[in-house]
Amino acid sequence: MQNPYQNAMAQLDKAVKVKNFSDNFIAHLRQPNRDIRISIPVKMDDGSVKIFEGYRVQYNNALGPYKGGIRYHSLTEINEVKALAFWMTLKCAVADIPMGGGKGGITVDPKSLSKGELERLSRGWVRGLSDILGPHKDVPAPDVNTTPEIMAWMADEYAKITGDKTGATFTGKPIATGGSLGRGSATGLGGFYVFDSLRKQIKLPEKCKVVIQGFGNVGGHAARIFKENGHTVIAVSDSKSAIFNKDGLDLEKVEAHKKKTGVLKDFAGAKNITNAELLELPSDLLVPAAFENVINANNAGNIKAKAVLELANGPLTPEADEILFKKNIPVIPDILANSGGVTVSYFEWEQNLKNEHWTEKEVFKKLKKMMENASEKMLEKAQESKTSLRMGAFILALERIQKKS
Ligand code: NAD
């Protein structure tokens, strides 16, 4: 299997075959503007010092300051961060927000650290990179395994170093320290708005049976939102287990079970299945909301969902994309489907800079409008070029970035 950056470049190759773009523009987009690795020394609780590897990729800022999350994971490496930064560039363009694309990370299993070690590591990432961050330069946010609390530590460290009082250099902060209402559920909710705008076009029923891979920030909120809107969530999973009930899961009880036992497994109201089985369940909508490359050449032929909503970044390999396209299974692409998160991050940045506080209702109203506009424009581009929704989203983004490059 290719690394995520090779997958991202394969998608770009495909887009330039569908539509003509300037060679110079595409050559520039094949490389990030900057790709930085840092060493972060952290004093551990036992008095020893451990060195961690951290990253920031500033991919493209034609549309505005770099924007993108920070991932903490033991498998995080530079090619993953570069791919995610490339997708962020396109995502901001599809959502039509005035920001460019970046991404960061640290190779670490955060569960292996104490809270103090995690805080020192997070502050160390900021110290190593503070020169290149800033509200008008580069605005990081949370991603996998990074939380509002971590963003608060980072924002505090940045303020100590630079004296910046706006708080606008990090988004996804807790409400008490300048976070936006609605940010926590924004990615899941944005994904739902996108799905809802496209549902009839992709021929899904009014009430769908939904399967969700990943029950974290994005997948957990998405599950709740789909259910609140009359759909039935029949299966969910986390890194260790998956559960299935063909008549629908009682999500509140599932959450209580997960809180109590730490796993989804052995929930009384469902059957245990494997993560591989979950992806291949018959359903109306499959929502990958965990990691990259989970649907690939090995399992794409077995997918029985009628459509896929990519809430994770890069969950399908290019081979899987091709297989599902041939099987007539529409895929709502990540760069649109999960752009609700960065859209509300942008709202947070704007509120911080203007010293405003918007209500949750205002935030969701603005988010809905932006997701509906983006879905409509993407569909137009896909139909114009008789191509997939992903290529429609790529064309929309590339045209917008090229215009400002
Ligand atoms: P998270 O850490 O809160 O949740 C990830 C979930 O995936 C957890 O439930 C974890 O147990 C599960 N998981 C991990 N490995 C798995 C595996 N192999 N199989 C099944 N489940 C597995 O992270 P998140 O913030 O919810 O992010 C999930 C995805 O959404 C990532 O691809 C991320 O880049 C993307 N995303 C997140 C945001 C955001 O606002 N948080 C925005 C856009 C995109």
Side-chain angles (χ1 to χ4, degrees):
M1 202 181 297
Q2 307 193 103
N3 73 48
Y5 188 58
Q6 290 167 317
N7 288 344
M9 291 303 105
Q11 293 171 340
L12 182 61
D13 290 340
K14 203 166 158 194
V16 298
K17 281 189 192 136
V18 180
K19 186 105 191 181
N20 253 337
F21 292 94
S22 127
D23 288 346
N24 289 344
F25 166 64
I26 296 298
H28 186 190
L29 258 196
R30 286 191 192 283
Q31 291 299 329
N33 289 349
R34 262 189 193 164
D35 128 13
I36 300 156
R37 293 177 214 212
I38 56 168
S39 297
I40 312 170
V42 175
K43 188 153 189 203
M44 307 302 280
D45 291 347
D46 65 5
S48 65
V49 171
K50 203 169 161 188
I51 311 291
F52 292 86
E53 187 166 38
Y55 316 92
R56 187 69 184 168
V57 174
Q58 297 185 323
Y59 207 97
N60 184 288
N61 62 350
L63 297 182
Y66 302 103
K67 183 93 197 76
I70 306 165
R71 179 174 290 196
Y72 287 3
H73 198 277
S74 52
L75 298 178
T76 286
E77 47 79 46
I78 193 70
N79 284 308
E80 179 186 64
V81 184
K82 271 164 70 177
L84 292 164
F86 170 77
W87 287 321
M88 280 307 297
T89 305
L90 301 189
K91 197 179 299 185
C92 292
V94 169
D96 206 12
I97 61 181
M99 304 200 103
K103 201 82 184 188
I106 301 178
T107 309
V108 59
D109 171 10
K111 291 191 187 106
S112 69
L113 302 184
S114 70
K115 197 168 170 186
E117 290 166 343
L118 189 64
E119 177 171 352
R120 293 194 287 282
L121 175 65
S122 303
R123 289 180 182 274
W125 187 91
V126 177
R127 276 197 303 279
L129 293 163
S130 62
D131 284 352
I132 60 154
L133 305 176
H136 300 289
K137 286 198 248 175
D138 186 345
V139 185
D143 188 65
V144 173
N145 289 328
T146 45
T147 58
E149 187 178 35
I150 293 176
M151 292 305 116
W153 293 331
M154 289 186 157
D156 178 63
E157 190 66 24
Y158 184 78
K160 274 188 193 154
I161 297 168
T162 64
D164 174 64
K165 295 277 188 297
T166 64
T169 302
F170 289 86
T171 59
K173 302 179 294 294
I175 308 299
T177 53
S180 176
L181 288 167
R183 174 63 184 89
S185 57
T187 307
L189 183 61
F192 175 76
Y193 288 147
V194 169
F195 152 84
D196 213 31
S197 322
L198 297 169
R199 186 184 57 76
K200 284 192 192 142
Q201 298 285 342
I202 58 173
K203 301 187 175 57
L204 289 187
E206 226 166 272
K207 303 284 170 221
C208 290
K209 288 203 179 230
V210 183
V211 168
I212 301 185
Q213 184 198 37
F215 201 57
N217 177 13
V218 176
H221 281 294
R224 174 184 55 76
I225 293 162
F226 270 93
K227 190 167 179 199
E228 280 170 5
N229 283 277
H231 303 282
T232 308
V233 177
I234 58 169
V236 294
S237 65
D238 59 19
S239 58
K240 293 191 197 77
S241 47
I243 53 172
F244 165 59
N245 180 335
K246 68 175 177 27
D247 299 320
L249 296 165
D250 182 331
L251 294 171
E252 277 177 23
K253 286 191 181 153
V254 171
E255 264 182 45
H257 172 78
K258 167 113 187 167
K259 215 175 223 171
K260 196 168 151 204
T261 65
V263 285
L264 292 168
K265 209 171 131 201
D266 297 335
F267 171 62
K271 195 173 129 189
N272 291 330
I273 56 171
T274 65
N275 239 305
E277 286 168 336
L278 172 130
L279 291 171
E280 296 175 13
L281 284 171
S283 68
D284 295 304
L285 187 69
L286 171 61
V287 184
F291 267 95
E292 314 65 273
N293 291 344
V294 293
I295 305 175
N296 49 55
N298 298 328
N299 61 359
N302 302 331
I303 300 296
K304 293 174 203 75
K306 293 192 188 118
V308 176
L309 177 72
E310 291 187 324
L311 289 190
N313 284 307
L316 268 73
T317 63
E319 296 80 18
D321 222 19
E322 210 49 52
I323 295 168
L324 295 199
F325 189 65
K326 284 193 184 131
K327 283 175 67 152
N328 267 328
I329 299 177
V331 176
I332 305 177
D334 46 7
I335 58 170
L336 169 65
N338 69 31
S339 64
V342 71
T343 302
V344 175
S345 270
Y346 158 61
F347 295 162
E348 179 176 336
W349 174 81
E350 203 180 332
Q351 291 171 77
N352 292 158
L353 288 178
K354 293 181 178 161
N355 200 17
E356 289 179 0
H357 303 279
W358 304 349
T359 64
E360 190 171 75
K361 207 169 154 196
E362 275 176 275
V363 169
F364 290 164
K365 196 171 157 202
K366 285 175 199 267
L367 175 65
K368 185 164 191 270
K369 198 164 166 222
M370 289 183 72
M371 294 294 102
E372 287 172 353
N373 282 342
S375 305
E376 195 183 310
K377 293 265 165 15
M378 175 208 63
L379 195 61
E380 266 172 37
K381 295 288 173 194
Q383 288 172 342
E384 256 169 45
S385 297
K386 296 193 175 48
T387 185
S388 65
L389 299 178
R390 186 183 317 280
M391 286 302 110
F394 263 64
I395 291 167
L396 175 63
L398 293 173
E399 284 179 351
R400 284 179 172 161
I401 301 164
Q402 182 170 252
K403 210 182 267 175
K404 293 278 177 84
S405 293

